[in-house]
Amino acid sequence: MMLSPRGVNISRLSLLFVLLALLYLFRELWFPSAFPLLSVTPSKLKPAKSSASKGSSQPDCRTLPGAEDVLVVLKTGATEIYEKLPEHFLTLFECTPNYLIFSDLEQDIGDHHVYDALDEVSSEHKDNHADFELYRKLQQYQREGQNLKALKGNSGWNLDKWKFMPMLHKAYTMKPEAKWFVYIEADTSI
């Protein structure tokens, strides 16, 4: 039987379907390296558990040698904390056994405590200096249960410069056993 070059019929479609199905099923024989992603399963993408962390709920990266000697100190502001901090909880802090979070307002975010970097600055400065206007408003808004994000603006830069030295001192007094101190800001990624 001679096939017409122009016609599409059921037998030609069936033959094409069978050829495509065979090509897909036996692709490793014909194209062993041409389509490597087709043969990767999700279980192959997950890192293997190390013997040190079997039975543990901590990620492998927390058990790296020397990780216990590092303290990561993150500095943020109360007006931006809900925008930038969740990313760190999902990434960096999953692999950081020791970290501290400092802001211009003490609070708890889930199971994580955020320390007020400015709580030990003298009352004379906090009550009278113009740079602390935002700090005073943050304290007031927190007491009244108001939205702290409403205070977002450029005044945070004036307050930010006051956090560095107290934060350095507090981090060292809280974790003096740390051998390495890594200081980052909320918009920093490691």
Side-chain angles (χ1 to χ4, degrees):
M1 171 177 169
M2 191 143 190
L3 296 175
S4 163
R6 295 183 160 218
V8 176
N9 58 31
I10 297 292
S11 62
R12 286 185 181 167
L13 287 175
S14 299
L15 181 61
L16 181 62
F17 176 75
V18 168
L19 286 174
L20 288 173
L22 288 172
L23 182 62
Y24 179 76
L25 290 173
F26 297 103
R27 67 188 176 275
E28 292 297 323
L29 293 174
W30 293 306
F31 308 108
S33 63
F35 303 106
L37 294 178
L38 293 176
S39 63
V40 175
T41 60
S43 64
K44 291 181 184 175
L45 293 174
K46 293 179 182 176
K49 294 266 185 201
S50 71
S51 59
S53 66
K54 283 187 179 172
S56 170
S57 63
Q58 292 183 342
D60 291 343
C61 52
R62 283 183 170 242
T63 60
L64 289 173
E68 70 280 358
D69 296 332
V70 178
L71 175 66
V72 176
V73 182
L74 183 134
K75 179 180 72 66
T76 187
T79 61
E80 67 178 7
I81 200 163
Y82 290 103
E83 294 171 16
K84 298 183 178 179
L85 201 54
E87 188 69 29
H88 291 286
F89 291 144
L90 297 172
T91 57
L92 174 64
F93 294 152
E94 279 291 314
C95 289
T96 308
N98 301 307
Y99 63 89
L100 296 171
I101 305 166
F102 288 98
S103 176
D104 37 29
L105 187 68
E106 185 166 2
Q107 58 185 314
D108 289 313
I109 298 181
D111 295 336
H112 308 276
H113 189 71
V114 179
Y115 297 93
D116 183 353
L118 303 168
D119 63 350
E120 294 178 2
V121 173
S122 74
S123 296
E124 180 182 335
H125 287 92
K126 288 192 291 190
D127 294 342
N128 302 314
H129 200 285
D131 287 350
F132 283 88
E133 179 63 30
L134 175 61
Y135 184 77
R136 292 186 291 269
K137 283 187 179 181
L138 285 169
Q139 306 302 312
Q140 176 190 347
Y141 272 46
Q142 184 183 45
R143 282 190 304 270
E144 296 172 355
Q146 294 187 48
N147 183 4
L148 300 174
K149 197 172 178 181
L151 296 174
K152 193 169 184 170
N154 290 333
S155 59
W157 291 107
N158 296 332
L159 189 57
D160 227 28
K161 66 185 174 192
W162 291 85
K163 295 179 194 173
F164 289 103
M165 292 309 288
M167 186 178 70
L168 292 170
H169 179 259
K170 290 178 99 169
Y172 180 73
T173 57
M174 293 170 82
K175 300 282 186 178
E177 69 278 3
K179 294 179 184 173
W180 296 94
F181 293 79
V182 178
Y183 293 90
I184 64 171
E185 304 236 1
D187 55 1
T188 304
S189 63
I190 298 177

